[in-house]
């Protein structure tokens, strides 16, 4: 099944069926989903850091 013994898994319900998948697969699937909403060349991490710095400057 591609799940190491004792490895962490994510359980999700898909059309009434419980699907177990390794955590790395679930993370990759989530990243791919979010990536479709982020323009090419944009780093969400860099934007978050910039926002935090701007907020800190206003304190």
């Amino acid at each position: 099944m591609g799940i190491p013994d004792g490895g962490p898994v994510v359980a999700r319900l898909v059309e009434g069926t419980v699907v177990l998948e390794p955590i790395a697969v679930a993370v990759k699937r989530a990243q791919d989903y979010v990536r479709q909403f982020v323009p090419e060349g944009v780093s969400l991490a860099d934007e978050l850091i910039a926002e935090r710095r701007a907020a800190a400057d206003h304190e």
Side-chain angles (χ1 to χ4, degrees):
M1 292 178 60
I3 300 171
D5 288 345
V9 297
V10 172
R12 60 188 178 105
L13 190 60
V14 178
E15 297 179 13
T17 302
V18 175
V19 176
L20 298 176
E21 60 189 0
I23 196 104
V25 172
V27 168
K28 175 77 169 101
R29 187 172 35 79
Q31 289 171 331
D32 291 345
Y33 176 76
V34 170
R35 191 167 287 120
Q36 68 182 329
F37 302 105
V38 180
E40 186 71 30
V42 172
S43 168
L44 294 181
D46 290 344
E47 287 191 3
L48 178 61
I49 291 167
E51 287 177 11
R52 297 291 186 223
R53 286 184 177 147
D57 289 345
H58 287 84
E59 289 183 355

